Amino acid sequence: MNEFRVTAQRSGGWWALEVEGPGLRRSAHTQVRRLDQVEESVRDLLALRFDADVDGRLAATWKITVVPVLGDELAAEVAHTRELRREADRLRDDAVSHSREAARHLREQGLPHRDIGALLGVSHQAVSKLLAG
């Protein structure tokens, strides 16, 4: 796997990109309007540099790591936010798993979907989905 590090820094209304990695004697540069365009732009740049097909075998070995330059305070805020979102995702997955298990146990006791929904705080349609999963 060839890993390329892309440093992205705001410059006016653009993100200025500096690409470093194996096979590049010096940094390569390009720019994009939005961060969601970085990977495609860098893959195009690398394909030109290495005379490769963007969808070819060589390109499949390229791992692109984007490092936005935000400043310490803002970078810490973004990192904290991402960590909270990961935790929220984990908690949501746990809640669904526990809800599914509780719904199964309540159904085994003969309760109808509407009662299970009332007990779990979800709609009877959600109970149907929980029990189908």
Side-chain angles (χ1 to χ4, degrees), residues 13 26 29 33 44 48 52 60 64 69 73-74 86 98 112 120 126:
R26 58 179 183 210
H29 297 87
R33 285 272 186 202
D44 288 344
L48 287 171
I64 296 169
V69 177
E73 193 172 311
L74 193 50
R86 280 191 292 275
H98 286 278
L120 297 180

Side-chain angles (χ1 to χ4, degrees), residues 3 7-8 10 27 32 39 43-44 52-53 57-58 60-61 77 82 98 103 106 110-112 115 121 126:
E3 185 166 348
T7 304
R10 285 301 282 176
S27 302
V32 293
E39 185 160 344
R43 286 189 177 282
D44 288 344
D53 181 4
R57 188 179 307 182
L58 178 61
T61 69
E77 183 178 356
R82 290 177 70 112
H98 286 278
L106 291 166
L111 292 173
D115 287 347

